[in-house]
Amino acid sequence: MQRNTINKATFFARIIHKLKLFSRLILYRSGLMKAFYSSIRTAFDVQVMNQFSRDNSWLKKIFSDMNSLDEIDYKRIMDGEIRIFSNTVKTTRGNFPDWHIDCISNYRFPLSLSDRIEITGDVTGDCLFPCELSRLQFFPPLMSYINFGDSVKSIEDYIVSVTDNWVRENPFGYGIHWRIHMESALRALSLFSILPFLSPSGQQSLQHLYILCINFVGWERIRKAPKKKHNHYIIELICFLICSMILKGPGIEKTRNIALSAMLEQIDHQFGNDGISIECSISYHRLTIEALLLLDLALVSFNNSNHHIREIRVRLAELLPKAIGFISDYIKCFGKSVQFGDSCDGRIMFFGDYYNWDPLDHRYILTLSKIVGITIPESNSADWISVYYNAGYAFCSCGRIGVCACNSEPSSGVSGHNHMDKLSWVMSVEGESVFVDPGTGMYNSTLSLRNYFRATASHNTILIDGEEQAIFDQLRSFSEVKEIDCSIEVHDPGEGSFSILMKHTGYTRINDLGAIKRTIIIEPEYVHVIDSFEGSSSHEVSFGYLLHPNLKVTQTQDGHVIIHGKDFSLLLENPTGMCLSISKRWYSDSYGSMVKTNRITYSGTIEFPATIEHTHKLSMQKIRVNKDNILE
């Protein structure tokens, strides 16, 4: 009886969904939807627009204080070379890019009704590549060009021609670029940020697409409020609030008030008490903080008599120093970003660093924060440790060694960017990466590749009986992770020694298994790891470390491993009772880029409860082996 009820409910839900799609198809094909979003009594507020064009102090400050575009990179953009993550698409001047193509697989997304286009799972291409292209984020860098004043006419003509081409090639409601609302929001922000630098005729040329994107986001997302509120939603809110500041009309005013109220809720919802995004992804924390910094700058130009605006600024004054302090910590510890969780490599806005930005270099956030007026105090101590209990991260610098540890607890409803990286840790020596996180690869095109990069076995953590450390839907590219209890703490006993203690309960769902604990002891010349297992009976246990591709590895006859860096050697002693293997595994340091590198794996059958200890000894001199491949 219950099964019949479920089947009936599913049947009627599918019928309703098909009716909605059919009605939208009729509305789009008739042009009514486009006419609606283009004419919701929305237009430039001429008075505000003129003032904005004369003043635009916060935008000028960004473009002047961030890196400026030089002559060479200016010509690259004007000649049609466009960055897509770590790749570039080259077109000849006068010819425009194919806005619908995945530049990696060469798959072209169809120009069919947007709602019908599949973008996740086992699809032929990855939609993020054409979406990144259509954010039009190569427009703002042109405003930072060092000789902008002498080239303004050429730049304006180029921007208008590209925009006209985009509009012709992307009819409203059709194709991949009206499929994801955040992409329309970011496209609108790119247009908004260049408007005050253009002539009135140039502004009018961009007005249609700009207003269409804003109304589309406002009515389809902000007024309807999605059930799942994650980084897409807060970025849509921020882009809408910034971009709508020069617009007028009753529709815009009402939607703006809804957005302001929702923004207050999302600041509380999407960040923990320690100021870190609850997405379980360092990259997405960085992305949302970039958006919030831009919003904080823009709010200065808003009417401060609005109580929502005043309250948002108060909340940001509390949140941003903590959030940026977190970014500062992992940069100080590792020299760059750590790839715990998903890494999308996207930006809210590019400046003069358009071509040369490394997705793992998050220092631009610190520069942007100084423009806002937030300065993180510098630490005078060479040896230090910090912990973020709520978010589940710890960072330690001790002598030449840097360690970043992850035990982030999945959050209900926003775990789509989570990886199976609990108890995982990465390590550097004098800024050179040694143990690394595998990264993300790509979100879409193949589920097997997506699952590979987020699997337990791909991370520097512990795998038991071949089971994932937590349950997630492997048939979906973005699936929630079943909540498990995770904890992290640190000890600083002094005398140049630090320890990080982590614990998770992910395997308690399996009979005879309890919680797993990992203790990492860091001293100037070595790292000692103690893994403790609760439970009973015997189990297959494996753990290991993914190495940076620049490193070389030697396996000794007596079962040890020597890692050779540029100016150091690291000896990994073989844990008692464990078998050693070295294999080639995937590593991705930027979206869509993958290379094979060495992974060291230890495995064996262990009787629980148990404890396994393993030590990594650092030497700034070359560690040698004799002719029999045994340590000297």
Side-chain angles (χ1 to χ4, degrees):
M1 181 70 181
Q2 185 179 7
R3 179 184 238 174
N4 289 335
T5 304
I6 293 171
N7 287 340
K8 285 180 180 179
T10 303
F11 172 77
F12 284 115
R14 287 175 178 172
I15 292 295
I16 292 170
H17 178 67
K18 287 183 177 179
L19 287 172
K20 285 182 178 178
L21 278 178
F22 180 73
S23 64
R24 288 176 75 85
L25 177 63
I26 296 298
L27 289 170
Y28 277 116
R29 286 189 173 172
S30 65
L32 291 175
M33 290 292 278
K34 181 178 180 180
F36 174 70
Y37 287 122
S38 298
S39 61
I40 312 177
R41 297 174 63 189
T42 305
F44 284 155
D45 185 326
V46 177
Q47 184 177 354
V48 175
M49 186 71 225
N50 290 339
Q51 177 63 33
F52 185 54
S53 296
R54 287 193 302 269
D55 180 20
N56 59 77
S57 55
W58 69 277
L59 277 173
K60 279 184 177 177
K61 190 167 181 59
I62 294 174
F63 288 125
S64 63
D65 289 10
M66 302 296 281
N67 293 332
S68 296
L69 197 70
D70 61 24
E71 183 79 24
I72 294 174
D73 287 347
Y74 161 75
K75 289 180 178 178
R76 290 174 71 183
I77 294 178
M78 297 293 284
D79 287 340
E81 187 176 349
I82 302 169
R83 173 179 178 144
I84 304 177
F85 298 121
S86 294
N87 304 283
T88 57
V89 173
K90 185 72 170 69
T91 63
T92 57
R93 190 168 186 176
N95 294 328
F96 304 99
D98 186 334
W99 302 104
H100 305 275
I101 201 164
D102 170 357
C103 63
I104 299 296
S105 68
N106 286 322
Y107 173 74
R108 193 176 194 275
F109 284 86
L111 196 61
S112 54
L113 189 66
S114 299
D115 287 354
R116 291 185 171 183
I117 299 176
E118 290 293 331
I119 59 174
T120 61
D122 283 320
V123 294
T124 309
D126 192 320
C127 68
L128 258 66
F129 292 105
C131 285
E132 176 81 0
L133 175 67
S134 282
R135 290 175 181 179
L136 305 179
Q137 290 182 326
F138 50 96
F139 284 176
L142 292 170
M143 303 301 110
S144 70
Y145 174 46
I146 53 175
N147 296 318
F148 174 76
D150 298 331
S151 306
V152 62
K153 182 66 169 62
S154 299
I155 290 173
E156 183 169 312
D157 289 345
Y158 170 77
I159 287 172
V160 170
S161 65
V162 170
T163 304
D164 288 345
N165 178 264
W166 193 95
V167 170
R168 285 195 302 273
E169 298 294 324
N170 294 275
F172 181 69
Y174 290 85
I176 193 69
H177 301 306
W178 298 107
R179 177 71 171 77
I180 305 171
H181 296 88
M182 185 184 75
E183 300 304 323
S184 290
L186 290 169
R187 189 156 49 249
L189 183 63
S190 292
L191 296 171
F192 167 84
S193 64
I194 64 175
L195 285 173
F197 301 94
L198 304 181
S199 68
S201 63
Q203 293 170 356
Q204 290 299 319
S205 298
L206 273 56
Q207 180 176 357
H208 170 73
L209 177 59
Y210 170 67
I211 291 177
L212 189 60
C213 289
I214 285 299
N215 280 329
F216 179 60
V217 172
W219 284 74
E220 289 285 325
R221 289 286 281 183
I222 294 171
R223 289 202 175 204
K224 294 180 180 178
K227 291 180 181 178
K228 292 185 178 180
K229 299 176 174 65
H230 41 61
N231 70 86
H232 279 222
Y233 185 51
I234 196 169
I235 289 171
E236 289 158 3
L237 288 171
I238 291 168
C239 290
F240 179 85
L241 286 172
I242 294 174
C243 294
S244 69
M245 65 189 295
I246 57 172
L247 299 176
K248 67 176 181 179
I252 280 289
E253 291 294 337
K254 182 176 180 180
T255 311
R256 184 158 45 219
N257 287 330
I258 294 171
L260 286 168
S261 178
M263 192 70 227
L264 283 170
E265 295 174 359
Q266 291 309 301
I267 290 174
D268 292 337
H269 170 69
Q270 296 207 27
F271 296 90
N273 295 331
D274 44 16
I276 301 168
S277 167
I278 60 175
E279 292 262 18
C280 295
S281 162
I282 284 183
S283 180
Y284 277 96
H285 172 79
R286 181 266 311 165
L287 188 69
T288 52
I289 293 306
E290 179 188 349
L292 286 172
L293 285 168
L294 292 171
L295 176 64
D296 197 34
L297 278 168
L299 286 178
V300 177
S301 302
F302 275 71
N303 181 2
N304 284 319
S305 63
N306 185 302
H307 71 281
H308 282 318
I309 292 176
R310 292 198 304 272
E311 183 61 27
I312 288 172
R313 297 202 69 192
V314 169
R315 301 277 184 90
L316 290 179
E318 297 171 355
L319 170 69
L320 289 175
K322 293 187 288 186
I324 294 162
F326 172 73
I327 294 173
S328 176
D329 272 355
Y330 65 70
I331 290 174
K332 285 189 297 183
C333 180
F334 219 63
K336 55 175 66 176
S337 171
V338 185
Q339 297 190 103
F340 294 135
D342 272 342
S343 300
C344 76
D345 298 352
R347 286 268 293 263
I348 302 298
M349 190 183 291
F350 278 98
F351 307 101
D353 58 354
Y354 180 66
Y355 289 113
N356 56 25
W357 179 61
D358 176 356
L360 296 180
D361 187 354
H362 294 180
R363 289 176 298 174
Y364 81 99
I365 292 290
L366 304 183
T367 304
L368 196 55
S369 69
K370 289 178 181 178
I371 296 173
V372 175
I374 301 171
T375 303
I376 305 302
E378 294 286 339
S379 173
N380 294 324
S381 175
D383 298 337
W384 55 273
I385 192 166
S386 64
V387 62
Y388 295 83
Y389 298 103
N390 186 265
Y393 299 104
F395 309 113
C396 178
S397 178
C398 183
R400 298 180 175 91
I401 296 174
V403 167
C404 302
C406 170
N407 205 33
S408 57
E409 186 169 287
S411 300
S412 177
V414 289
S415 300
H417 292 298
N418 205 343
H419 283 200
M420 301 296 101
D421 53 10
K422 317 315 158 199
L423 306 188
S424 181
W425 63 289
V426 295
M427 174 181 170
S428 67
V429 175
E430 291 196 326
E432 184 178 356
S433 296
V434 182
F435 302 152
V436 293
D437 184 272
T440 297
M442 291 187 291
Y443 292 153
N444 308 303
S445 72
T446 59
L447 276 171
S448 59
L449 189 65
R450 172 68 170 145
N451 289 330
Y452 172 89
F453 277 99
R454 54 182 175 174
T456 307
S458 295
H459 292 84
N460 303 334
T461 186
I462 302 163
L463 181 71
I464 299 181
D465 292 337
E467 296 284 343
E468 297 291 354
Q469 60 183 213
I471 297 173
F472 69 99
D473 187 350
Q474 298 188 34
L475 297 178
R476 297 172 57 201
S477 296
F478 302 97
S479 59
E480 292 185 25
V481 176
K482 186 175 180 180
E483 291 187 40
I484 62 176
D485 293 329
C486 300
S487 63
I488 189 167
E489 57 183 277
V490 299
H491 289 168
D492 180 4
E495 299 180 357
S497 175
F498 303 96
S499 59
I500 301 170
L501 294 81
M502 300 183 284
K503 174 183 175 181
H504 82 68
T505 61
Y507 284 113
T508 56
R509 71 185 191 274
I510 301 173
N511 290 337
D512 302 329
L513 289 179
I516 306 174
K517 300 176 184 177
R518 168 166 277 183
T519 301
I520 306 172
I521 302 168
I522 307 120
E523 295 198 4
E525 301 301 326
Y526 79 85
V527 177
H528 188 65
V529 182
I530 305 171
D531 293 330
S532 304
F533 306 87
E534 297 176 359
S536 59
S537 70
S538 60
H539 297 275
E540 293 293 324
V541 174
S542 68
F543 58 87
Y545 303 101
L546 189 69
L547 305 184
H548 192 276
N550 291 343
L551 302 174
K552 295 181 179 179
V553 179
T554 300
Q555 183 175 348
T556 68
Q557 192 67 33
D558 43 353
H560 303 307
V561 173
I562 303 171
I563 299 171
H564 307 280
K566 184 179 178 181
D567 298 310
F568 70 90
S569 294
L570 188 70
L571 173 66
L572 277 61
E573 296 182 350
N574 195 29
T576 303
M578 304 297 283
C579 296
L580 166 69
S581 64
I582 300 176
S583 59
K584 292 292 184 180
R585 302 293 295 271
W586 287 114
Y587 168 66
S588 173
D589 64 353
S590 62
Y591 194 86
S593 173
M594 293 169 285
V595 296
K596 285 288 184 80
T597 188
N598 288 309
R599 177 177 171 84
I600 299 166
T601 302
Y602 301 100
S603 59
T605 302
I606 307 295
E607 189 72 25
F608 282 21
T611 298
I612 300 174
E613 300 189 26
H614 39 116
T615 301
H616 315 311
K617 294 181 178 178
L618 175 66
S619 173
M620 301 315 291
Q621 297 178 349
K622 187 174 182 180
I623 298 177
R624 301 183 182 277
V625 294
N626 61 23
K627 61 181 181 179
D628 297 320
N629 207 27
I630 298 174
L631 285 174
E632 291 183 348

